[in-house]
Amino acid sequence: MANSGKWILVLRLYTLLLFLEAKVFSLGGDEGNVQGGNGLEGSGGVSELCANDLASFMPPPYGNSSDIVCRPIWNTFVLRYTQTEDHVMNIILSAVYTTGWVGIGFSRDGLMVGSSAIVGWINRKGQARIKQYYLQGSKSSQVIPDKGELPLTGIPATVVLHGPRIYLAFQLKFQARLARQPIILAVGSGYPKHNNHLTVHDDKTTIKFDFSAGSASEAPSDFKQMKKNHGILAIFGWGLILPLGAIVPRYFKHKDPLWYYLHSIIQFVGFVIGLAAVVLGQQLYTKIGADFHTHRGIGIFVLVLSILQILAFFLRPSKDAKIRRYWNWYHHWFGRLAVFFAAVNIVLGIKIGAAGIEWKISYGFFLSLILIAVIVLEALARMRRTETKDTIPPNFQMNSVP
């Protein structure tokens, strides 16, 4: 009997879990549809999340619910906002809250670094806190409190804990009507430390939100991996393989025709890998608006030079042709320019992405290997030329007959 009682208890608990799971799944499914831009205001989950009467617990002007747009955008995050004709916006972000902090950041390019954020929390004493932060870098020490570039108005920002949710409200005034805007959502379970320095976030996402249409598209979940893959492919393709291929014709021409085939194959492989890096960079630009004009411009310039080098392979004149000399100038100098600007762009990309010291060390290591190889091969080439010069006998001259 005791065993049967235990089994009955287990079955009841299992049934309860299935019921709760169904409820949570139903609510989560509605959020996901709205996040993708489908209007489901009539569905139970969304209407429940957006049905709160803000006027009952939010101070003015945030309690005014007329013309307010409400959209669930990520996990338990719900974004409410109004936008007037003179480009003043009241923004209210809410999320399920237990401890720690909740934040929303505005970014120019979809990246965390360089963005400004509003972060709110309830401290251990039960006091509400809300501050603007400037995300100068990827480390927690580079997230600076009471700094930022958000156009806040004189209306004080506020944070309110109502039921299980925390509400962050603030007012901005832009120079033009806000439309598609990359926003960063983050949450941390740890309380801000001394002097309001934030702890590392537990979860984060980047979303492109269209404030004119009230729809959102989430950045790909593998955004960080895309950025890493872009950097890895660029370093290997443009920064390592192409320079190695450029070394071959300078120091191995005495191995004819082996040097030519090696040079062609290595450069083609480097071009394909570098092209993959460009494609990933274009995807980052398209999906999250990662537009860094200088980095993107140099990348396109290097790609064009590389394409011209590929064309040079097919347009290579014979050794006896009169234009061969000019073709050599064109091929050599365009190749050198491509390698040089690729190296510059890799360094710029590491800086832009705030990739960290390990990326700088890795690329510095590859660059050092290439420079050491060039120095050693140049020394060997000079020694070989000197030995060849010494072994050539002087020209034999007959004494003239008087």
Side-chain angles (χ1 to χ4, degrees), residues 337-350:
L337 283 173
V339 170
F340 172 76
F341 280 103
V344 171
N345 214 28
I346 289 171
V347 174
L348 186 60
I350 291 174

Side-chain angles (χ1 to χ4, degrees), residues 256-299:
D256 196 33
L258 178 61
W259 74 267
Y260 175 73
Y261 296 116
L262 281 176
H263 175 64
S264 301
I265 293 171
I266 292 173
Q267 295 302 77
F268 180 74
V269 171
F271 172 77
V272 170
I273 296 175
L275 181 61
V278 173
V279 171
L280 271 182
Q282 181 61 30
Q283 288 181 359
L284 289 170
Y285 169 74
T286 302
K287 292 182 178 180
I288 64 170
D291 187 14
F292 297 93
H293 301 294
T294 304
H295 182 65
R296 190 164 180 254
I298 294 176

Side-chain angles (χ1 to χ4, degrees), residues 225-280:
Q225 191 60 45
M226 285 178 64
K227 191 170 70 169
K228 286 181 181 179
N229 292 342
H230 172 67
I232 290 171
L233 290 172
I235 289 176
F236 274 95
W238 303 121
L240 180 63
I241 298 178
L242 285 180
L244 289 176
I247 290 173
V248 171
R250 178 171 177 82
Y251 299 110
F252 295 97
K253 272 196 173 180
H254 58 286
K255 302 289 185 181
D256 196 33
L258 178 61
W259 74 267
Y260 175 73
Y261 296 116
L262 281 176
H263 175 64
S264 301
I265 293 171
I266 292 173
Q267 295 302 77
F268 180 74
V269 171
F271 172 77
V272 170
I273 296 175
L275 181 61
V278 173
V279 171
L280 271 182

Side-chain angles (χ1 to χ4, degrees), residues 98-342:
T98 52
T99 61
W101 55 269
V102 171
I104 176 172
F106 288 72
S107 172
R108 292 190 182 93
D109 45 46
L111 300 179
M112 185 185 76
V113 176
S115 62
S116 300
I118 295 292
V119 179
W121 68 94
I122 307 296
N123 64 19
R124 289 185 174 88
K125 297 180 180 180
Q127 300 168 330
R129 294 288 183 265
I130 186 167
K131 285 184 176 294
Q132 182 178 190
Y133 286 80
Y134 180 65
L135 285 68
Q136 190 175 45
S138 57
K139 299 178 181 178
S140 58
S141 60
Q142 295 175 307
V143 180
I144 305 172
D146 299 316
K147 298 289 184 181
E149 300 175 350
L150 292 178
L152 293 167
T153 66
I155 303 298
T158 186
V159 57
V160 174
L161 187 63
H162 181 72
R165 304 183 70 85
I166 189 172
Y167 292 78
L168 281 64
F170 54 98
Q171 190 179 87
L172 305 173
K173 181 175 175 57
F174 295 95
Q175 295 180 353
R177 187 171 181 82
L178 195 63
R180 290 181 64 84
Q181 168 66 45
I183 60 176
I184 300 168
L185 304 169
V187 59
S189 58
Y191 289 103
K193 298 178 181 178
H194 183 62
N195 293 329
N196 297 313
H197 287 292
L198 296 181
T199 56
V200 177
H201 59 262
D202 295 325
D203 201 2
K204 176 182 78 72
T205 191
T206 300
I207 288 175
K208 258 191 172 180
F209 194 86
D210 191 341
F211 285 91
S212 59
S215 61
S217 58
E218 188 174 1
S221 59
D222 58 347
F223 161 65
K224 287 185 178 180
Q225 191 60 45
M226 285 178 64
K227 191 170 70 169
K228 286 181 181 179
N229 292 342
H230 172 67
I232 290 171
L233 290 172
I235 289 176
F236 274 95
W238 303 121
L240 180 63
I241 298 178
L242 285 180
L244 289 176
I247 290 173
V248 171
R250 178 171 177 82
Y251 299 110
F252 295 97
K253 272 196 173 180
H254 58 286
K255 302 289 185 181
D256 196 33
L258 178 61
W259 74 267
Y260 175 73
Y261 296 116
L262 281 176
H263 175 64
S264 301
I265 293 171
I266 292 173
Q267 295 302 77
F268 180 74
V269 171
F271 172 77
V272 170
I273 296 175
L275 181 61
V278 173
V279 171
L280 271 182
Q282 181 61 30
Q283 288 181 359
L284 289 170
Y285 169 74
T286 302
K287 292 182 178 180
I288 64 170
D291 187 14
F292 297 93
H293 301 294
T294 304
H295 182 65
R296 190 164 180 254
I298 294 176
I300 293 173
F301 179 61
V302 171
L303 178 62
V304 170
L305 290 177
S306 300
I307 292 173
L308 291 175
Q309 292 294 80
I310 296 294
L311 293 176
F313 171 80
F314 296 101
L315 301 175
R316 182 172 178 249
S318 63
K319 293 182 179 180
D320 299 331
K322 292 182 179 180
I323 63 171
R324 177 59 181 261
R325 166 183 180 183
Y326 303 105
W327 181 90
N328 286 337
W329 290 349
Y330 147 74
H331 184 58
H332 293 168
W333 283 106
F334 274 39
R336 289 165 183 166
L337 283 173
V339 170
F340 172 76
F341 280 103

